[in-house]
Amino acid sequence: GAPLLCCHEIPGSGMRLARLLARRGAPNLPRFSASTQQRRSLCTTQALITATPRLSDRFSTMAMATAAAAGVTAAAMVGKAGKAECEVCADVETAEQMHNTPSTSRQAVLDFLETAVAKAPEDGQLQWRLGRACVKRAEETDLDGAAKLAVLERGMAAMERARAAPGGDACFKTAMYSGIVLNAHTECLGTKAQLEGSTTCKEHWVKAAELSTAANGRPDPTVLNLLGRWCFTFADMGWVTRRVAAAVFAVVPTSSYDEALDYFQRAETSEPGFYLNNRMMIGKCLLRKGDCTAAKEWLTKAVAMDKVDAEAAKDHAEATELLKQC
């Protein structure tokens, strides 16, 4: 019944992984010290636990935790049967490194993941990362409308496969990116489509908040930011958009700047400075509420952050414009 731990959520040492596993049913683990080389070997052990949960039936939680703490590789435990799973883990690790390297083109990340997914189409960890890569590629300005939509449709398909994969319904990143990809896709289709998809987006993000809280003891800050943006959208809705919404919903969802601000502030408290957009949205909410002094403080913090990708550059430009209103 414990939530599936995604690869990126597992700390990078054998002992810390062992402690996580202890929570899943191995409370009396022996103490180990892990060398640097042993910690490096942890990657393939993680694959068994996260990328391919079906293998967990072959090994006890105690055995997996002991192996992780001692630095024993998954390959040594499963032999030839684990080769494909180890390759998946290596692809996941490479994808994360590429995603987190600003100098790596978003197209290169997308191409790599499409190749990796072709080798392991049932792996949910690769699939949600493919969905994320599609969104990041679609954010770049060199794509026209049709090309952007085509990329996002590939992302929608990837997220559908991620949800259907073993453990997909228990991974908060799958839930989170299901909402993100859906929101980006419907945005391309126009206001009516985006409004029609908004309720489903929120459902994905509420589920992601629940799963991340169960796994980590607190909601993921990015999920809180997404829920804040959802609230802000309906709080800030203009007359024309509200007329369209009235045609879509029997009762138009409502929210407030205070509700949105609460989500953004909780996210910032959880992980200060994690996201340029979050600081920009705190400033934007405060500006809408008429608190120009506080808004200026947060918008100044936002523009001081690095523009690490196309989304950050867009948010940086918006924060710069909003500062002129303070």
Side-chain angles (χ1 to χ4, degrees), residues 150-313:
V151 169
L152 289 170
E153 285 174 348
R154 285 148 63 190
M156 290 284 288
M159 295 316 304
E160 184 176 354
R161 293 190 295 268
R163 291 191 297 273
D169 62 347
C171 178
F172 90 81
K173 287 285 186 173
T174 296
M176 185 176 81
Y177 278 101
S178 290
I180 291 173
V181 175
L182 174 61
N183 184 64
H185 182 255
T186 57
E187 185 178 6
C188 282
L189 299 175
T191 300
K192 185 173 184 292
Q194 192 168 23
L195 287 167
E196 289 173 339
S198 63
T199 301
T200 304
C201 287
K202 185 179 183 181
E203 289 171 355
H204 284 308
W205 294 331
V206 168
K207 180 178 180 179
E210 293 170 351
L211 290 172
S212 63
T213 300
N216 304 321
R218 61 179 176 83
D220 181 80
T222 301
V223 176
L224 293 175
N225 170 270
L226 291 165
L227 288 168
R229 285 200 261 179
W230 190 95
C231 292
F232 184 90
T233 296
F234 283 95
D236 205 51
M237 191 176 290
W239 180 80
V240 174
T241 305
R242 196 166 291 280
R243 287 285 299 272
V244 176
V248 172
F249 300 103
V251 178
V252 179
T254 60
S255 189
S256 66
Y257 297 126
D258 284 328
E259 186 177 9
L261 182 60
D262 179 65
Y263 277 118
F264 296 133
Q265 289 176 329
R266 285 168 58 196
E268 191 69 22
T269 299
S270 177
E271 190 174 335
F274 78 103
Y275 195 16
L276 193 158
N277 175 273
N278 200 69
R279 289 183 166 180
M280 185 270 287
M281 291 304 300
I282 290 175
K284 196 171 183 178
C285 285
L286 291 167
L287 198 59
R288 293 290 197 274
K289 286 166 55 66
D291 190 344
C292 290
T293 301
K296 184 176 181 179
E297 177 186 349
W298 283 101
L299 292 170
T300 300
K301 289 181 179 180
V303 299
M305 294 179 67
D306 293 335
K307 296 173 281 186
V308 296
D309 57 20
E311 181 193 19

Side-chain angles (χ1 to χ4, degrees), residues 60-224:
S60 69
T61 302
M62 175 65 79
M64 292 301 297
T66 300
V72 178
T73 66
M77 295 180 69
V78 302
K80 293 181 179 179
K83 182 178 179 181
E85 284 71 25
C86 294
E87 290 176 353
V88 167
C89 186
D91 285 343
V92 166
E93 183 178 12
T94 299
E96 283 300 296
Q97 289 172 350
M98 295 176 72
H99 172 75
N100 292 319
T101 303
S103 59
T104 302
S105 76
R106 300 305 92 182
Q107 184 63 51
V109 180
L110 180 56
D111 291 343
F112 173 82
L113 277 163
E114 288 190 322
T115 300
V117 163
K119 294 184 294 183
E122 296 183 359
D123 189 83
Q125 295 294 311
L126 289 172
Q127 292 287 1
W128 75 251
R129 286 173 170 84
L130 176 57
R132 177 181 67 183
C134 288
V135 168
K136 289 299 180 182
R137 180 68 182 98
E139 288 171 355
E140 297 186 313
T141 58
D142 63 316
L143 297 181
D144 61 23
K148 181 177 180 178
L149 182 60
V151 169
L152 289 170
E153 285 174 348
R154 285 148 63 190
M156 290 284 288
M159 295 316 304
E160 184 176 354
R161 293 190 295 268
R163 291 191 297 273
D169 62 347
C171 178
F172 90 81
K173 287 285 186 173
T174 296
M176 185 176 81
Y177 278 101
S178 290
I180 291 173
V181 175
L182 174 61
N183 184 64
H185 182 255
T186 57
E187 185 178 6
C188 282
L189 299 175
T191 300
K192 185 173 184 292
Q194 192 168 23
L195 287 167
E196 289 173 339
S198 63
T199 301
T200 304
C201 287
K202 185 179 183 181
E203 289 171 355
H204 284 308
W205 294 331
V206 168
K207 180 178 180 179
E210 293 170 351
L211 290 172
S212 63
T213 300
N216 304 321
R218 61 179 176 83
D220 181 80
T222 301
V223 176
L224 293 175

Side-chain angles (χ1 to χ4, degrees), residues 28-74:
N28 299 312
L29 293 176
R31 294 177 179 268
F32 292 93
S33 62
S35 68
T36 300
Q37 184 59 41
Q38 288 170 334
R39 287 195 293 269
R40 287 173 180 166
S41 73
L42 183 59
C43 166
T44 49
T45 306
Q46 291 174 351
L48 287 170
I49 303 163
T50 59
T52 53
R54 63 185 178 278
L55 285 184
S56 62
D57 292 338
R58 298 182 57 185
F59 303 98
S60 69
T61 302
M62 175 65 79
M64 292 301 297
T66 300
V72 178
T73 66

